[in-house]
Amino acid sequence: MAPFLVLFLAGVVAASRGDREPVYRDCVTLCERNNCTGSRLTDFRAEQPLYMRVTGWTCLDDCRYQCMWYTVSLYLKEGHEVPQFHGKWPFSRFLFFQEPASALASFLNGVASLLMLLRYRSSVPSSCQMYRTCLAFSMKMDYFCASSVILHSIYLCCMRTFGLQYPSIANGFGAFLVLLFACHVSYLTLGRFDYSYNMAANTGFGVLNLMWWLAWCFRRRFHQPYLWKCVLVVISLQSLALLELLDFPPVMWILDAHALWHFSTVPLHFLFYSFLKDDSLYLLKINHDDIPKLD
């Protein structure tokens, strides 16, 4: 019963006002009939740019894109608000990028993360207890990126608070987070991508991440003066996440709240990796000081 219920719910959340519009549905049906069968489909594939073909854009996708803008033009002409289609706002496509601003922001985040990862590796010996965990933190994905990074940050906090003393507990908690992430991704990929659910889930993950890190930093504030970096990052991330709640139609059909959130997180990479470096070196120091000295 449960799998059928999930399938039903996925179908419900996939639909938006725009793609429920009869004008849009009729347009897509007519376009697909006239352009995506027989010799017309062959002509479409022959004329389709190579970069669109290799990135998976189909004739049906192109019909939906053209009909989306036709429907938007009718809505604007009649004075109605811009609708969403298949769970997201209409964006002006650039090359094969459906959301060019978010794609650019994701690239900049990746560059910032890579630069700081290289700096971390050059500054921290691999013998540090948190070395491998911090390296794994740099692994990211696009729309699942927020979820994976936040959940790994929660695991990172778990390791830092009591995982070094009780690794079996941290490993068990890590396995639970992996299972949670797998369920999260499965739900999002079962049907059309559900932005509203993804936003709500990431908000919940973010609150847990924020409270756990702040509690640990407050308790250790007199021992590790660099913890202000961690506090600033987690508060900033949670505050910037409010941009996602704005959920407005894209400015000039390019820049939306999601892209703004992506751009705003770029500088935080530098501060958080600086915290990870300082904390790793702190762990090395206290472990070295605890080693008995031979006369």
Side-chain angles (χ1 to χ4, degrees):
M1 180 65 181
F4 294 105
L5 178 60
V6 172
L7 286 170
F8 171 76
L9 291 174
V12 171
V13 299
S16 298
R17 181 182 178 187
D19 52 272
R20 291 197 304 265
E21 178 64 51
V23 171
Y24 172 81
R25 290 176 176 269
D26 292 343
C27 177
V28 172
T29 300
L30 183 62
C31 177
E32 187 177 15
R33 182 190 308 143
N34 292 339
N35 299 288
C36 302
T37 57
S39 60
R40 297 289 182 87
L41 178 59
T42 303
D43 293 340
F44 169 82
R45 290 172 175 169
E47 298 173 1
Q48 186 183 31
L50 178 61
Y51 61 81
M52 296 290 285
R53 188 161 58 250
V54 298
T55 51
W57 280 90
T58 66
C59 182
L60 177 58
D61 291 330
D62 199 64
C63 282
R64 288 173 173 169
Y65 181 76
Q66 301 300 334
C67 291
M68 175 187 73
W69 287 116
Y70 173 69
T71 306
V72 168
S73 68
L74 292 179
Y75 266 70
L76 293 177
K77 183 179 180 180
E78 297 179 8
H80 299 301
E81 295 182 353
V82 176
Q84 290 189 343
F85 295 81
H86 303 288
K88 57 185 177 180
W89 296 109
F91 288 89
S92 181
R93 188 173 64 193
F94 176 71
L95 298 178
F96 54 85
F97 296 107
Q98 190 171 5
E99 299 181 28
S102 290
L104 175 60
S106 295
F107 173 75
L108 294 177
N109 272 280
V111 171
S113 181
L114 177 61
L115 290 175
M116 294 311 297
L117 172 63
L118 295 176
R119 182 175 297 181
Y120 178 87
R121 293 186 62 179
S122 64
S123 305
V124 178
S126 59
S127 57
C128 175
Q129 294 168 287
M130 294 292 294
Y131 184 83
R132 294 185 181 276
T133 305
C134 291
L135 290 189
F137 184 76
S138 65
M139 312 305 286
K140 302 180 185 300
M141 292 175 283
D142 185 25
Y143 278 113
F144 303 132
C145 171
S147 306
S148 62
V149 170
I150 294 173
L151 288 176
H152 200 285
S153 177
I154 293 173
Y155 174 70
L156 190 69
C157 188
C158 173
M159 282 292 297
R160 189 61 186 90
T161 51
F162 58 82
L164 298 179
Q165 291 77 29
Y166 309 100
S168 59
I169 297 178
N171 291 337
F173 183 69
F176 166 75
L177 292 179
V178 170
L179 179 61
L180 178 62
F181 179 66
C183 294
H184 176 67
V185 172
S186 297
Y187 177 77
L188 290 173
T189 55
L190 186 61
R192 287 286 179 175
F193 195 98
D194 183 2
Y195 282 67
S196 298
Y197 159 75
N198 190 46
M199 188 191 327
N202 287 336
T203 299
F205 299 154
V207 170
L208 174 60
N209 182 61
L210 172 70
M211 300 310 295
W212 199 340
W213 274 116
L214 289 183
W216 178 74
C217 290
F218 180 79
R219 186 168 58 88
R220 303 289 303 173
R221 65 190 185 281
F222 297 121
H223 304 279
Q224 296 151 259
Y226 57 84
L227 291 181
W228 67 268
K229 300 178 183 179
C230 179
V231 171
L232 182 57
V233 168
V234 294
I235 292 179
S236 298
L237 277 177
Q238 198 64 21
S239 301
L240 292 171
L242 296 177
L243 288 172
E244 294 272 32
L245 301 179
L246 298 178
D247 198 28
F248 53 82
V251 177
M252 300 180 66
W253 309 117
I254 295 176
L255 189 66
D256 69 332
H258 181 72
L260 285 176
W261 179 80
H262 264 306
F263 278 118
S264 64
T265 59
V266 173
L268 296 182
H269 287 278
F270 299 94
L271 192 58
F272 194 64
Y273 273 100
S274 177
F275 156 71
L276 293 179
K277 182 195 73 172
D278 291 343
D279 194 53
S280 296
L281 295 177
Y282 170 81
L283 285 174
L284 283 173
K285 181 180 182 300
I286 61 173
N287 288 338
H288 180 267
D289 292 344
D290 288 341
I291 298 176
K293 303 294 190 300
L294 296 178
D295 293 333

PDB file of all heavy atoms in Angstrom, residues 104-118 140 266 269-270 273:
ATOM      1  N   LEU A 104      25.575  28.916 -12.851  1.00  0.00           N
ATOM      2  CA  LEU A 104      26.787  29.715 -12.626  1.00  0.00           C
ATOM      3  C   LEU A 104      27.127  29.774 -11.141  1.00  0.00           C
ATOM      4  O   LEU A 104      28.296  29.633 -10.748  1.00  0.00           O
ATOM      5  CB  LEU A 104      26.588  31.125 -13.178  1.00  0.00           C
ATOM      6  CG  LEU A 104      27.726  32.121 -12.912  1.00  0.00           C
ATOM      7  CD1 LEU A 104      29.033  31.632 -13.536  1.00  0.00           C
ATOM      8  CD2 LEU A 104      27.366  33.510 -13.454  1.00  0.00           C
ATOM      9  N   ALA A 105      26.112  29.970 -10.302  1.00  0.00           N
ATOM     10  CA  ALA A 105      26.347  30.031  -8.857  1.00  0.00           C
ATOM     11  C   ALA A 105      26.872  28.700  -8.332  1.00  0.00           C
ATOM     12  O   ALA A 105      27.758  28.667  -7.467  1.00  0.00           O
ATOM     13  CB  ALA A 105      25.065  30.420  -8.133  1.00  0.00           C
ATOM     14  N   SER A 106      26.341  27.602  -8.850  1.00  0.00           N
ATOM     15  CA  SER A 106      26.819  26.280  -8.436  1.00  0.00           C
ATOM     16  C   SER A 106      28.279  26.092  -8.832  1.00  0.00           C
ATOM     17  O   SER A 106      29.079  25.525  -8.071  1.00  0.00           O
ATOM     18  CB  SER A 106      25.965  25.188  -9.073  1.00  0.00           C
ATOM     19  OG  SER A 106      24.639  25.232  -8.599  1.00  0.00           O
ATOM     20  N   PHE A 107      28.635  26.577 -10.019  1.00  0.00           N
ATOM     21  CA  PHE A 107      30.023  26.491 -10.478  1.00  0.00           C
ATOM     22  C   PHE A 107      30.946  27.286  -9.557  1.00  0.00           C
ATOM     23  O   PHE A 107      32.019  26.805  -9.156  1.00  0.00           O
ATOM     24  CB  PHE A 107      30.131  26.999 -11.913  1.00  0.00           C
ATOM     25  CG  PHE A 107      31.544  27.119 -12.420  1.00  0.00           C
ATOM     26  CD1 PHE A 107      32.251  25.982 -12.769  1.00  0.00           C
ATOM     27  CD2 PHE A 107      32.145  28.353 -12.535  1.00  0.00           C
ATOM     28  CE1 PHE A 107      33.568  26.083 -13.234  1.00  0.00           C
ATOM     29  CE2 PHE A 107      33.448  28.470 -12.997  1.00  0.00           C
ATOM     30  CZ  PHE A 107      34.165  27.334 -13.346  1.00  0.00           C
ATOM     31  N   LEU A 108      30.542  28.501  -9.200  1.00  0.00           N
ATOM     32  CA  LEU A 108      31.357  29.334  -8.314  1.00  0.00           C
ATOM     33  C   LEU A 108      31.499  28.699  -6.932  1.00  0.00           C
ATOM     34  O   LEU A 108      32.578  28.761  -6.320  1.00  0.00           O
ATOM     35  CB  LEU A 108      30.742  30.730  -8.193  1.00  0.00           C
ATOM     36  CG  LEU A 108      30.742  31.574  -9.470  1.00  0.00           C
ATOM     37  CD1 LEU A 108      30.042  32.906  -9.221  1.00  0.00           C
ATOM     38  CD2 LEU A 108      32.161  31.807  -9.976  1.00  0.00           C
ATOM     39  N   ASN A 109      30.426  28.085  -6.441  1.00  0.00           N
ATOM     40  CA  ASN A 109      30.514  27.374  -5.170  1.00  0.00           C
ATOM     41  C   ASN A 109      31.495  26.215  -5.266  1.00  0.00           C
ATOM     42  O   ASN A 109      32.260  25.957  -4.330  1.00  0.00           O
ATOM     43  CB  ASN A 109      29.131  26.856  -4.765  1.00  0.00           C
ATOM     44  CG  ASN A 109      28.335  27.860  -3.963  1.00  0.00           C
ATOM     45  OD1 ASN A 109      28.535  28.020  -2.756  1.00  0.00           O
ATOM     46  ND2 ASN A 109      27.431  28.555  -4.627  1.00  0.00           N
ATOM     47  N   GLY A 110      31.459  25.509  -6.390  1.00  0.00           N
ATOM     48  CA  GLY A 110      32.382  24.397  -6.573  1.00  0.00           C
ATOM     49  C   GLY A 110      33.827  24.856  -6.613  1.00  0.00           C
ATOM     50  O   GLY A 110      34.713  24.215  -6.037  1.00  0.00           O
ATOM     51  N   VAL A 111      34.080  25.973  -7.299  1.00  0.00           N
ATOM     52  CA  VAL A 111      35.441  26.521  -7.371  1.00  0.00           C
ATOM     53  C   VAL A 111      35.922  26.936  -5.984  1.00  0.00           C
ATOM     54  O   VAL A 111      37.064  26.641  -5.587  1.00  0.00           O
ATOM     55  CB  VAL A 111      35.493  27.719  -8.344  1.00  0.00           C
ATOM     56  CG1 VAL A 111      36.842  28.434  -8.245  1.00  0.00           C
ATOM     57  CG2 VAL A 111      35.249  27.248  -9.776  1.00  0.00           C
ATOM     58  N   ALA A 112      35.064  27.645  -5.237  1.00  0.00           N
ATOM     59  CA  ALA A 112      35.438  28.082  -3.891  1.00  0.00           C
ATOM     60  C   ALA A 112      35.728  26.887  -2.991  1.00  0.00           C
ATOM     61  O   ALA A 112      36.701  26.886  -2.221  1.00  0.00           O
ATOM     62  CB  ALA A 112      34.318  28.932  -3.291  1.00  0.00           C
ATOM     63  N   SER A 113      34.895  25.858  -3.090  1.00  0.00           N
ATOM     64  CA  SER A 113      35.098  24.669  -2.267  1.00  0.00           C
ATOM     65  C   SER A 113      36.394  23.962  -2.631  1.00  0.00           C
ATOM     66  O   SER A 113      37.140  23.509  -1.757  1.00  0.00           O
ATOM     67  CB  SER A 113      33.908  23.717  -2.435  1.00  0.00           C
ATOM     68  OG  SER A 113      34.073  22.564  -1.632  1.00  0.00           O
ATOM     69  N   LEU A 114      36.679  23.885  -3.938  1.00  0.00           N
ATOM     70  CA  LEU A 114      37.909  23.221  -4.376  1.00  0.00           C
ATOM     71  C   LEU A 114      39.146  23.974  -3.905  1.00  0.00           C
ATOM     72  O   LEU A 114      40.115  23.366  -3.424  1.00  0.00           O
ATOM     73  CB  LEU A 114      37.911  23.109  -5.904  1.00  0.00           C
ATOM     74  CG  LEU A 114      39.169  22.493  -6.530  1.00  0.00           C
ATOM     75  CD1 LEU A 114      39.380  21.068  -6.030  1.00  0.00           C
ATOM     76  CD2 LEU A 114      39.079  22.528  -8.050  1.00  0.00           C
ATOM     77  N   LEU A 115      39.120  25.295  -4.026  1.00  0.00           N
ATOM     78  CA  LEU A 115      40.268  26.098  -3.588  1.00  0.00           C
ATOM     79  C   LEU A 115      40.540  25.909  -2.101  1.00  0.00           C
ATOM     80  O   LEU A 115      41.688  25.735  -1.674  1.00  0.00           O
ATOM     81  CB  LEU A 115      40.017  27.573  -3.890  1.00  0.00           C
ATOM     82  CG  LEU A 115      40.018  27.981  -5.368  1.00  0.00           C
ATOM     83  CD1 LEU A 115      39.645  29.451  -5.506  1.00  0.00           C
ATOM     84  CD2 LEU A 115      41.386  27.721  -5.995  1.00  0.00           C
ATOM     85  N   MET A 116      39.481  25.935  -1.296  1.00  0.00           N
ATOM     86  CA  MET A 116      39.663  25.795   0.141  1.00  0.00           C
ATOM     87  C   MET A 116      40.011  24.361   0.530  1.00  0.00           C
ATOM     88  O   MET A 116      40.729  24.129   1.504  1.00  0.00           O
ATOM     89  CB  MET A 116      38.409  26.257   0.875  1.00  0.00           C
ATOM     90  CG  MET A 116      38.133  27.747   0.719  1.00  0.00           C
ATOM     91  SD  MET A 116      39.582  28.781   1.054  1.00  0.00           S
ATOM     92  CE  MET A 116      39.897  28.414   2.764  1.00  0.00           C
ATOM     93  N   LEU A 117      39.533  23.401  -0.237  1.00  0.00           N
ATOM     94  CA  LEU A 117      39.911  22.014   0.018  1.00  0.00           C
ATOM     95  C   LEU A 117      41.403  21.824  -0.196  1.00  0.00           C
ATOM     96  O   LEU A 117      42.088  21.168   0.613  1.00  0.00           O
ATOM     97  CB  LEU A 117      39.123  21.081  -0.902  1.00  0.00           C
ATOM     98  CG  LEU A 117      39.538  19.604  -0.886  1.00  0.00           C
ATOM     99  CD1 LEU A 117      39.303  18.999   0.497  1.00  0.00           C
ATOM    100  CD2 LEU A 117      38.772  18.833  -1.947  1.00  0.00           C
ATOM    101  N   LEU A 118      41.932  22.398  -1.272  1.00  0.00           N
ATOM    102  CA  LEU A 118      43.371  22.299  -1.540  1.00  0.00           C
ATOM    103  C   LEU A 118      44.177  22.988  -0.442  1.00  0.00           C
ATOM    104  O   LEU A 118      45.229  22.491  -0.028  1.00  0.00           O
ATOM    105  CB  LEU A 118      43.686  22.919  -2.904  1.00  0.00           C
ATOM    106  CG  LEU A 118      43.084  22.200  -4.118  1.00  0.00           C
ATOM    107  CD1 LEU A 118      43.385  22.977  -5.404  1.00  0.00           C
ATOM    108  CD2 LEU A 118      43.627  20.776  -4.226  1.00  0.00           C
ATOM    109  N   LYS A 140      29.970  17.402  -3.286  1.00  0.00           N
ATOM    110  CA  LYS A 140      28.693  18.098  -3.424  1.00  0.00           C
ATOM    111  C   LYS A 140      27.928  17.618  -4.636  1.00  0.00           C
ATOM    112  O   LYS A 140      28.498  17.079  -5.567  1.00  0.00           O
ATOM    113  CB  LYS A 140      28.898  19.610  -3.526  1.00  0.00           C
ATOM    114  CG  LYS A 140      29.629  20.224  -2.349  1.00  0.00           C
ATOM    115  CD  LYS A 140      29.772  21.718  -2.538  1.00  0.00           C
ATOM    116  CE  LYS A 140      30.616  22.288  -1.424  1.00  0.00           C
ATOM    117  NZ  LYS A 140      30.055  22.080  -0.112  1.00  0.00           N
ATOM    118  N   VAL A 266      28.718  31.525  -1.622  1.00  0.00           N
ATOM    119  CA  VAL A 266      30.085  31.378  -2.135  1.00  0.00           C
ATOM    120  C   VAL A 266      31.132  31.817  -1.114  1.00  0.00           C
ATOM    121  O   VAL A 266      32.077  31.071  -0.818  1.00  0.00           O
ATOM    122  CB  VAL A 266      30.259  32.139  -3.464  1.00  0.00           C
ATOM    123  CG1 VAL A 266      31.725  32.132  -3.902  1.00  0.00           C
ATOM    124  CG2 VAL A 266      29.380  31.524  -4.556  1.00  0.00           C
ATOM    125  N   HIS A 269      32.246  29.510   2.048  1.00  0.00           N
ATOM    126  CA  HIS A 269      33.176  28.388   1.934  1.00  0.00           C
ATOM    127  C   HIS A 269      34.529  28.738   2.548  1.00  0.00           C
ATOM    128  O   HIS A 269      35.126  27.927   3.257  1.00  0.00           O
ATOM    129  CB  HIS A 269      33.375  28.012   0.463  1.00  0.00           C
ATOM    130  CG  HIS A 269      32.205  27.308  -0.149  1.00  0.00           C
ATOM    131  ND1 HIS A 269      31.996  25.956   0.000  1.00  0.00           N
ATOM    132  CD2 HIS A 269      31.185  27.771  -0.901  1.00  0.00           C
ATOM    133  CE1 HIS A 269      30.897  25.614  -0.640  1.00  0.00           C
ATOM    134  NE2 HIS A 269      30.381  26.689  -1.192  1.00  0.00           N
ATOM    135  N   PHE A 270      35.006  29.935   2.269  1.00  0.00           N
ATOM    136  CA  PHE A 270      36.325  30.346   2.746  1.00  0.00           C
ATOM    137  C   PHE A 270      36.360  30.402   4.274  1.00  0.00           C
ATOM    138  O   PHE A 270      37.338  29.983   4.895  1.00  0.00           O
ATOM    139  CB  PHE A 270      36.684  31.711   2.147  1.00  0.00           C
ATOM    140  CG  PHE A 270      36.757  31.710   0.655  1.00  0.00           C
ATOM    141  CD1 PHE A 270      35.664  32.071  -0.115  1.00  0.00           C
ATOM    142  CD2 PHE A 270      37.921  31.314   0.004  1.00  0.00           C
ATOM    143  CE1 PHE A 270      35.726  32.065  -1.494  1.00  0.00           C
ATOM    144  CE2 PHE A 270      38.001  31.299  -1.370  1.00  0.00           C
ATOM    145  CZ  PHE A 270      36.888  31.672  -2.131  1.00  0.00           C
ATOM    146  N   TYR A 273      35.945  26.614   5.812  1.00  0.00           N
ATOM    147  CA  TYR A 273      37.157  25.811   5.685  1.00  0.00           C
ATOM    148  C   TYR A 273      38.266  26.355   6.578  1.00  0.00           C
ATOM    149  O   TYR A 273      39.115  25.597   7.061  1.00  0.00           O
ATOM    150  CB  TYR A 273      37.630  25.771   4.225  1.00  0.00           C
ATOM    151  CG  TYR A 273      36.974  24.674   3.433  1.00  0.00           C
ATOM    152  CD1 TYR A 273      35.911  24.928   2.583  1.00  0.00           C
ATOM    153  CD2 TYR A 273      37.433  23.359   3.519  1.00  0.00           C
ATOM    154  CE1 TYR A 273      35.306  23.925   1.853  1.00  0.00           C
ATOM    155  CE2 TYR A 273      36.839  22.347   2.795  1.00  0.00           C
ATOM    156  CZ  TYR A 273      35.776  22.634   1.961  1.00  0.00           C
ATOM    157  OH  TYR A 273      35.185  21.629   1.246  1.00  0.00           O
TER     158      TYR A 273
END
